Every structure is written in structure tokens, then in C-alpha cells.
Amino acid sequence: MTSIPFYHVDAFASRAFAGNQAAVMPLTEWLPDAVMQQIAAENNVAETAFFVPGAGDGADYDLRWFTPAVEVDLCGHATLASAHVLDREEVRFSTRSGILSVTRTDSLLWLDMPTSSLAPAAPGGEADAIGAEVSGVWAVTGGNGGAVVLVKDEATLRSLEPDFAKVAACANGFIIATAAGNTVDFVSRVFCPTFGIDEDPVTGSAHCALTPFWAERLGKTRMTAVQASARSGNLECLLKGPRVILGGTCFTVIEGRFQL
């Protein structure tokens, strides 16, 4: 029997039991892909992060992320959670999306990610899928793709009741709904049923698109954001050229061993 360290971390959270849940599992070498996918399904949280000592690229570790259904190209909250578990002043991960670094300043962890690009797109059923009028649709290139849709206000965003079968049929099954915030710069919700998650509690990769989207509209490069899921998550967002820097805090709520 193989025993693997296991950490259950709430990331981009203002307290335990908020933010987005990530399972973090340090490895000495990669397990077979099918086994890592089975472990992620067993963990049944938004993402399970696996990392091994770095094999190159100047990275400290090589990092991969699995939802309960698929391996993904980019995941912010599980990267932040992995850095939290490692508890270093700075750590560099080699990933499918290049080098991602995390640094610690005071109580915040800062995650450096690539900016996603957006282009206006013709509506593809997004309004019907989320059950609300939208004032624009933008296709996302980079990260995990999908589409950003702008809704009227924060109250509308919070009241959305998506039809997830319809969400799965449009925009790569990944819809990022957003609105201006009442007490923060902007708010969002993320629906991604084709990834095995109907609504993701807090999505770092979505903020790689939302940060430049709102920076252009608000005329500022540093913003505060809330992902208004049931668990809710808080993010500091900084646009720095071709990079997005996301700040947040993490809480470890379970520590143990996974028996394989």
C-alpha cells in the first residue's frame, strides 16, 4: 500500500469553510494519469493538485491539476493552496500554462499567472443558459477558455439560477458571469459543468480574464473582487503587463494520508 501526504485547503478564503476547496498531494514521482484522475474523483473537490520536484525550467516543482472529471490547463486556487502547503517565501511551479510563481507578503499569498485575452463574440445561448439578460459576450483565449458574460448588476449576478445542461452546450461549457460590485470593484460567478463542477466556488483562472476586462472598464490596474458563490471568495487583482497577480489567503482544514 502506498501512503501519500494529503492536505485539504480552503483557498482565496477569508476564513475556514469559505473560498475554494483544493486537495494538495505532494509526490516524489508522478503516478499514472488514470490513477491521479481516480484520486481526484475520490477527493471530489474542485481540484486536486499533484506536484513533484522540478525537472527543469528553473522551477522548484512540476504541478498538475485534476477536477473530478478532467485534467485542466490552468488552476489558480489549487496553485495557491500548493504554495500554502509548502510554506515558503517564494515557490516556482512548472505547469501546462508555463511557470507560475507564488510569493508571500505579510498575510497574503500572491500568485503570478498569464493574462487571458478577450474578444467580442456573437451570443451563443449564454443568456438562456444562465437565465438572465447579458449586455455582452466575450470569448476567452488562454486559461481554460470559455466566455465572459456581463450582467446588469451584483443583485442579478447573485440571483442567477443556471440551466447546467444549457451551460454545457455553449462556450466550451465554461461561462464566467460578472458585474460591477457594490462594495468591491467587481463580482463574478463561474459555471463549468463540462469540467465536472457545476459552479466553481472561486476560480483563479477566470480572473486571468476578468482582471484585464475590468481594468479596461474601471481605468485601474489594482482591484478587489469577490466570487459570489455559496462559499464566497475574496481576491486582490493586479494587472501587470501580460501577467495577472492574484492575492489571497488559505486555510488548511484537513491534514492526513491518502492510502492507495
Side-chain angles (χ1 to χ4, degrees):
M1 181 177 290
T2 301
S3 181
I4 304 169
F6 173 90
Y7 303 87
H8 185 118
V9 178
D10 294 338
F12 292 117
S14 59
R15 55 176 176 79
F17 315 124
N20 202 352
Q21 303 171 82
V24 179
M25 301 184 66
L27 303 172
T28 55
E29 59 184 7
W30 293 121
L31 298 169
D33 289 5
V35 173
M36 289 191 287
Q37 186 63 74
Q38 288 176 312
I39 291 172
E42 183 76 9
N43 289 337
N44 198 32
V45 295
E47 240 89 19
T48 297
F50 300 93
F51 59 79
V52 300
D57 299 331
D60 302 301
Y61 298 92
D62 296 340
L63 174 66
R64 295 169 70 183
W65 315 278
F66 291 77
T67 76
V70 296
E71 184 174 7
V72 296
D73 291 331
L74 183 62
C75 177
H77 85 278
T79 305
L80 204 76
S82 298
H84 169 75
V85 166
L86 288 163
D87 193 23
R88 296 168 54 167
E89 291 302 306
E90 182 175 5
V91 60
R92 289 168 56 85
F93 297 106
S94 178
T95 76
R96 281 185 171 191
S97 293
I99 296 293
L100 306 181
S101 64
V102 182
T103 56
R104 183 186 299 277
T105 60
D106 299 324
S107 61
L108 284 182
L109 292 169
W110 292 93
L111 169 59
D112 184 324
M113 305 176 78
T115 302
S116 295
S117 59
L118 299 100
E126 292 84 4
D128 187 38
I130 66 172
E133 291 185 6
V134 303
S135 56
V137 178
W138 291 262
V140 177
T141 300
N144 295 303
V148 168
V149 299
L150 183 63
V151 300
K152 179 181 177 182
D153 52 27
E154 182 171 330
T156 300
L157 181 96
R158 289 183 179 274
S159 67
L160 295 177
E161 296 183 2
D163 180 324
F164 291 110
K166 292 181 178 179
V167 172
C170 61
N172 191 37
F174 197 102
I175 294 179
I176 305 164
T178 191
N182 295 334
T183 59
V184 295
D185 289 303
F186 65 89
V187 291
S188 65
R189 290 175 66 186
V190 173
F191 311 115
C192 42
T194 59
F195 289 72
I197 311 157
D198 282 345
E199 180 169 0
D200 196 34
V202 192
T203 316
S205 62
H207 286 78
C208 292
L210 290 170
T211 300
F213 179 87
W214 284 105
E216 180 180 352
R217 283 156 182 79
L218 299 176
K220 55 200 299 188
T221 56
R222 183 163 183 169
M223 295 160 287
T224 55
V226 166
Q227 191 157 327
S229 63
R231 290 178 63 91
S232 190
N234 300 79
L235 306 95
E236 299 283 339
C237 305
L238 176 64
L239 182 62
K240 194 173 182 179
R243 309 292 291 183
V244 167
I245 317 297
L246 300 178
T249 54
C250 295
F251 297 84
T252 300
V253 294
I254 302 172
E255 184 175 346
R257 311 287 298 189
F258 191 102
Q259 306 303 321
L260 184 62

